[in-house]
Amino acid sequence: MAAAADLQPVMPAFAYAFEQKTGTKLTVSFGSSATLAQQIINGAPFDVFLGADFVFPEKVVAAGLATAAPLQYAKGTLVLFARKDSPLNPLHMEELTDPRVTKVAIADQFHAPFGRAGYAALDKLKILPQVTPRLVVAENVAQTAQFVVSGNAQLGLISLTLASSKAMADVGNYIRVPTVYPEILQYGVVMKNGPNRAGGEAFLEFIRSPEVQNKLTDFGLEPVK
């Protein structure tokens, strides 16, 4: 399985539940949606691709590699994250333009949907010109989070899935970014020529089932409406 980086804290629980239910074991590779889509187009033998938006799964469809059109499985949320020991706490969006802030981590807007959402939010909040000189660009949203955890950035625009995970909650705080950015609707596709196409179809059906959808908020995702 190829899964967008925001799903790193989510997939272990879902993989375990799926294995218990079906006996099928999942092996998951994480990365930016753009990178994973390109790997699939280049022939990587994945059964399922869970992107962080519609665009990159649709590119796989356009390449003739998917069994059907992308199906939405969740909705993502953008947050502003800082370490607990940061003098910027308690967090407010105004901290992004605080003169004490010299580095703000964000995912690449051309590779990662959460990066695209971050740039859109900064633009809509009319602070993009002020914040741009401070931006430290990561390949994907998981690397964005690590920049903040490691101290290489004071703030980061990351996914709620990552920020609310136990590992991140132990070291940092977050606030939700106002929903001025386009909705982060996350879609998945099954590969036509994957080594276990039936298993891929079963997993995509599984994460879209009420059993999983009703638990998504526990992991920082919103269910499909």
Short mmCIF file of all heavy atoms in Angstrom, two decimals, residues 5 9 21 23 41 44 62 69 88 113 131 141 164 168-169 174 178 220:
data_model
loop_
_atom_site.label_atom_id
_atom_site.label_comp_id
_atom_site.label_asym_id
_atom_site.label_seq_id
_atom_site.Cartn_x
_atom_site.Cartn_y
_atom_site.Cartn_z
N ALA A 5 1.61 10.83 3.68
CA ALA A 5 2.37 10.93 4.93
C ALA A 5 1.51 11.29 6.14
O ALA A 5 1.85 10.94 7.27
CB ALA A 5 3.49 11.96 4.76
N PRO A 9 0.31 8.02 11.55
CA PRO A 9 -0.17 7.58 12.86
C PRO A 9 -1.45 6.75 12.78
O PRO A 9 -1.81 6.09 13.75
CB PRO A 9 -0.46 8.90 13.60
CG PRO A 9 0.09 9.99 12.74
CD PRO A 9 0.11 9.46 11.35
N LYS A 21 -9.54 -8.91 10.74
CA LYS A 21 -10.82 -9.16 10.09
C LYS A 21 -10.69 -10.11 8.90
O LYS A 21 -11.54 -10.96 8.65
CB LYS A 21 -11.42 -7.84 9.62
CG LYS A 21 -12.84 -7.90 9.10
CD LYS A 21 -13.30 -6.51 8.68
CE LYS A 21 -14.73 -6.51 8.20
NZ LYS A 21 -15.70 -6.66 9.31
N GLY A 23 -7.33 -11.52 7.68
CA GLY A 23 -6.13 -12.34 7.61
C GLY A 23 -5.10 -11.80 6.64
O GLY A 23 -4.02 -12.38 6.48
N ILE A 41 3.08 5.35 -11.24
CA ILE A 41 3.12 5.55 -12.69
C ILE A 41 4.40 4.94 -13.28
O ILE A 41 4.40 4.44 -14.41
CB ILE A 41 2.99 7.05 -13.02
CG1 ILE A 41 1.57 7.54 -12.68
CG2 ILE A 41 3.32 7.34 -14.48
CD1 ILE A 41 1.39 9.04 -12.69
N ALA A 44 5.79 0.97 -9.71
CA ALA A 44 5.88 0.39 -8.36
C ALA A 44 4.68 -0.53 -8.12
O ALA A 44 3.55 -0.18 -8.45
CB ALA A 44 5.91 1.50 -7.32
N ALA A 62 -5.76 8.59 -14.66
CA ALA A 62 -5.50 9.10 -16.01
C ALA A 62 -4.42 8.30 -16.73
O ALA A 62 -4.42 8.21 -17.96
CB ALA A 62 -5.10 10.58 -15.94
N ALA A 69 -12.59 5.20 -10.77
CA ALA A 69 -12.35 6.57 -10.32
C ALA A 69 -12.01 6.59 -8.84
O ALA A 69 -12.38 5.68 -8.09
CB ALA A 69 -13.59 7.43 -10.58
N LEU A 88 6.39 30.59 22.40
CA LEU A 88 5.25 31.09 21.64
C LEU A 88 3.91 30.58 22.19
O LEU A 88 2.85 31.00 21.74
CB LEU A 88 5.37 30.66 20.16
CG LEU A 88 6.64 31.16 19.46
CD1 LEU A 88 6.79 30.47 18.11
CD2 LEU A 88 6.58 32.68 19.28
N PRO A 113 -0.56 17.75 -0.54
CA PRO A 113 -1.81 18.50 -0.39
C PRO A 113 -1.87 19.36 0.88
O PRO A 113 -2.45 20.45 0.86
CB PRO A 113 -2.87 17.40 -0.38
CG PRO A 113 -2.28 16.34 -1.27
CD PRO A 113 -0.82 16.34 -0.92
N VAL A 131 5.24 35.83 5.86
CA VAL A 131 5.72 34.53 6.34
C VAL A 131 6.66 33.86 5.34
O VAL A 131 7.54 33.08 5.73
CB VAL A 131 4.52 33.61 6.67
CG1 VAL A 131 4.99 32.25 7.17
CG2 VAL A 131 3.62 34.26 7.72
N VAL A 141 4.25 16.12 4.72
CA VAL A 141 3.76 16.69 5.99
C VAL A 141 4.41 16.02 7.21
O VAL A 141 4.58 16.66 8.25
CB VAL A 141 2.22 16.62 6.03
CG1 VAL A 141 1.73 15.20 6.23
CG2 VAL A 141 1.66 17.54 7.11
N SER A 164 -2.11 15.16 16.61
CA SER A 164 -2.86 14.55 17.70
C SER A 164 -2.38 13.15 18.05
O SER A 164 -2.89 12.52 18.98
CB SER A 164 -4.35 14.51 17.36
OG SER A 164 -4.58 13.75 16.19
N MET A 168 3.52 12.93 18.97
CA MET A 168 3.58 14.37 18.77
C MET A 168 2.95 15.12 19.95
O MET A 168 3.44 16.18 20.34
CB MET A 168 2.88 14.75 17.47
CG MET A 168 3.55 14.18 16.23
SD MET A 168 5.13 14.98 15.87
CE MET A 168 4.55 16.55 15.24
N ALA A 169 1.88 14.57 20.49
CA ALA A 169 1.21 15.22 21.62
C ALA A 169 2.11 15.28 22.85
O ALA A 169 1.99 16.18 23.68
CB ALA A 169 -0.09 14.50 21.95
N TYR A 174 -0.97 22.18 19.52
CA TYR A 174 -1.45 22.65 18.22
C TYR A 174 -2.76 23.40 18.37
O TYR A 174 -3.46 23.27 19.39
CB TYR A 174 -1.65 21.47 17.26
CG TYR A 174 -2.80 20.55 17.63
CD1 TYR A 174 -4.10 20.82 17.20
CD2 TYR A 174 -2.61 19.41 18.42
CE1 TYR A 174 -5.16 20.00 17.53
CE2 TYR A 174 -3.65 18.60 18.77
CZ TYR A 174 -4.93 18.88 18.32
OH TYR A 174 -5.98 18.07 18.67
N PRO A 178 -7.80 28.26 10.87
CA PRO A 178 -9.14 28.61 10.38
C PRO A 178 -9.38 27.98 9.00
O PRO A 178 -8.47 27.94 8.17
CB PRO A 178 -9.11 30.14 10.30
CG PRO A 178 -8.05 30.55 11.28
CD PRO A 178 -7.02 29.46 11.26
N GLY A 220 -7.94 12.04 14.06
CA GLY A 220 -7.68 13.35 13.46
C GLY A 220 -8.20 13.49 12.05
O GLY A 220 -7.80 14.42 11.34
#
